Coordinates of all heavy atoms in Angstrom, one line a residue:
T216 N -69.6 148.9 -40.8 CA -68.7 149.7 -41.7 C -68.7 149.3 -43.1 O -68.2 150.1 -44.0 CB -67.2 149.5 -41.1 OG1 -66.9 148.2 -41.1 CG2 -67.1 150.1 -39.7
D217 N -69.2 148.1 -43.5 CA -69.2 147.7 -44.8 C -70.4 146.8 -45.0 O -71.0 146.3 -44.0 CB -67.9 146.9 -45.2 CG -67.7 146.9 -46.7 OD1 -68.5 147.4 -47.4 OD2 -66.7 146.2 -47.1
K218 N -70.9 146.6 -46.3 CA -72.1 145.9 -46.5 C -71.8 144.7 -47.4 O -71.2 144.8 -48.5 CB -73.1 146.8 -47.2 CG -73.3 148.2 -46.5 CD -73.8 148.0 -45.1 CE -73.9 149.4 -44.4 NZ -74.3 149.3 -43.0
P219 N -72.4 143.5 -47.1 CA -72.2 142.4 -48.0 C -73.3 142.4 -49.0 O -74.3 143.2 -48.9 CB -72.4 141.2 -47.0 CG -73.3 141.7 -45.9 CD -73.0 143.2 -45.8
D220 N -73.2 141.5 -50.0 CA -74.3 141.3 -51.0 C -75.3 140.3 -50.6 O -76.5 140.4 -50.8 CB -73.6 140.9 -52.3 CG -72.6 141.9 -52.8 OD1 -72.9 143.1 -52.8 OD2 -71.5 141.5 -53.2
I221 N -74.8 139.2 -49.9 CA -75.7 138.1 -49.5 C -75.3 137.8 -48.0 O -74.2 137.8 -47.6 CB -75.4 136.8 -50.4 CG1 -75.7 137.1 -51.8 CG2 -76.2 135.7 -49.8 CD1 -77.2 137.3 -52.1
I222 N -76.4 137.5 -47.3 CA -76.2 137.1 -45.9 C -76.9 135.7 -45.7 O -78.1 135.6 -46.0 CB -76.9 138.0 -44.9 CG1 -76.2 139.4 -45.0 CG2 -76.7 137.5 -43.4 CD1 -76.9 140.5 -44.1
V223 N -76.1 134.7 -45.4 CA -76.7 133.4 -45.1 C -76.9 133.3 -43.6 O -76.0 133.3 -42.8 CB -75.7 132.2 -45.5 CG1 -76.3 130.9 -45.2 CG2 -75.4 132.4 -47.0
L224 N -78.2 133.3 -43.2 CA -78.6 133.5 -41.8 C -79.2 132.2 -41.2 O -80.2 131.8 -41.7 CB -79.5 134.7 -41.7 CG -80.0 135.1 -40.4 CD1 -78.8 135.6 -39.5 CD2 -81.0 136.2 -40.5
D225 N -78.6 131.7 -40.2 CA -79.2 130.6 -39.4 C -80.4 131.1 -38.6 O -80.5 132.3 -38.3 CB -78.1 130.0 -38.5 CG -78.6 128.7 -37.9 OD1 -79.6 128.1 -38.4 OD2 -78.0 128.3 -36.8
I226 N -81.3 130.2 -38.3 CA -82.5 130.6 -37.5 C -82.2 130.5 -36.0 O -82.4 131.4 -35.3 CB -83.7 129.7 -38.0 CG1 -84.1 130.1 -39.4 CG2 -84.9 130.0 -37.0 CD1 -85.2 129.3 -40.0
E227 N -81.8 129.3 -35.6 CA -81.7 129.0 -34.1 C -80.3 129.3 -33.7 O -79.3 128.6 -34.1 CB -82.1 127.6 -33.8 CG -83.5 127.3 -34.1 CD -83.9 125.9 -33.7 OE1 -83.0 125.0 -33.7 OE2 -85.0 125.6 -33.4
M228 N -80.1 130.4 -33.0 CA -78.8 130.8 -32.5 C -78.9 131.4 -31.1 O -80.0 132.1 -30.8 CB -78.1 131.9 -33.4 CG -77.8 131.3 -34.8 SD -77.1 132.6 -35.9 CE -78.5 133.7 -36.1
P229 N -78.0 131.2 -30.2 CA -78.0 131.9 -28.9 C -77.8 133.4 -29.0 O -77.2 133.9 -29.9 CB -76.9 131.2 -28.1 CG -75.9 130.8 -29.1 CD -76.7 130.4 -30.4
G230 N -78.3 134.1 -28.0 CA -78.1 135.5 -28.0 C -79.2 136.2 -28.8 O -80.3 136.5 -28.3
M231 N -79.0 136.4 -30.1 CA -80.0 136.9 -31.0 C -80.2 135.9 -32.1 O -79.2 135.7 -32.9 CB -79.6 138.3 -31.5 CG -80.6 138.9 -32.5 SD -80.0 140.5 -33.2 CE -80.1 141.6 -31.8
D232 N -81.4 135.4 -32.2 CA -81.6 134.4 -33.3 C -81.9 135.0 -34.6 O -81.9 136.3 -34.8 CB -82.8 133.5 -32.9 CG -84.1 134.2 -32.7 OD1 -84.2 135.3 -33.2 OD2 -85.0 133.7 -32.0
G233 N -82.0 134.2 -35.6 CA -82.2 134.7 -37.0 C -83.4 135.5 -37.2 O -83.4 136.5 -37.9
I234 N -84.6 135.1 -36.6 CA -85.8 135.8 -36.8 C -85.7 137.2 -36.2 O -86.2 138.2 -36.8 CB -87.0 135.0 -36.3 CG1 -87.2 133.8 -37.1 CG2 -88.3 135.9 -36.2 CD1 -87.6 134.0 -38.5
T235 N -85.1 137.3 -35.1 CA -85.0 138.6 -34.4 C -84.0 139.5 -35.2 O -84.2 140.7 -35.4 CB -84.4 138.5 -33.0 OG1 -85.3 137.6 -32.3 CG2 -84.4 139.8 -32.3
A236 N -82.9 138.9 -35.7 CA -81.9 139.7 -36.5 C -82.3 140.1 -37.9 O -81.9 141.1 -38.4 CB -80.6 138.9 -36.5
L237 N -83.3 139.4 -38.5 CA -83.7 139.6 -39.8 C -84.1 141.0 -40.1 O -83.5 141.6 -41.0 CB -84.7 138.6 -40.2 CG -85.3 138.7 -41.7 CD1 -84.3 138.6 -42.7 CD2 -86.5 137.7 -41.9
P238 N -85.1 141.6 -39.5 CA -85.5 142.9 -39.8 C -84.4 144.0 -39.5 O -84.3 145.0 -40.2 CB -86.7 143.2 -38.9 CG -86.6 142.2 -37.8 CD -85.9 141.0 -38.4
L239 N -83.6 143.7 -38.5 CA -82.5 144.6 -38.2 C -81.4 144.6 -39.2 O -80.9 145.7 -39.6 CB -81.9 144.3 -36.8 CG -82.9 144.3 -35.6 CD1 -82.2 143.8 -34.3 CD2 -83.5 145.7 -35.4
L240 N -81.1 143.4 -39.8 CA -80.1 143.4 -40.8 C -80.7 144.0 -42.1 O -79.9 144.6 -42.9 CB -79.8 141.9 -41.1 CG -78.9 141.3 -40.0 CD1 -78.8 139.7 -40.2 CD2 -77.5 141.9 -40.0
L241 N -81.9 143.8 -42.4 CA -82.5 144.4 -43.6 C -82.5 145.9 -43.5 O -82.4 146.6 -44.5 CB -84.0 143.9 -43.8 CG -84.1 142.5 -44.2 CD1 -85.6 142.1 -44.2 CD2 -83.5 142.3 -45.6
R242 N -82.7 146.5 -42.3 CA -82.6 147.9 -42.1 C -81.2 148.4 -42.2 O -80.9 149.5 -42.8 CB -83.2 148.2 -40.7 CG -83.6 149.7 -40.5 CD -84.2 149.9 -39.2 NE -85.4 149.0 -39.0 CZ -85.6 148.3 -37.9 NH1 -84.8 148.4 -36.9 NH2 -86.7 147.6 -37.9
A243 N -80.2 147.6 -41.7 CA -78.8 148.0 -41.8 C -78.2 147.8 -43.2 O -77.4 148.6 -43.6 CB -78.0 147.2 -40.8
C244 N -78.7 146.8 -43.9 CA -78.2 146.5 -45.3 C -79.4 146.3 -46.2 O -79.8 145.2 -46.6 CB -77.4 145.2 -45.3 SG -76.0 145.2 -44.1

């Protein structure tokens, strides 16, 4: 619903890690 200017993204996370989320976040924001 809203877009940030900067995303500080960890790499190792349970569920969806940072590498998997990176292209999806770039597409969404």
Side-chain angles (χ1 to χ4, degrees):
T216 57
D217 200 1
K218 311 300 179 186
D220 302 312
I221 299 290
I222 300 175
V223 180
L224 184 61
D225 189 18
I226 291 178
E227 294 181 335
M228 294 178 291
M231 182 184 290
D232 61 21
I234 292 298
T235 305
L237 174 60
L239 301 176
L240 288 170
L241 288 173
R242 198 174 304 134
C244 305

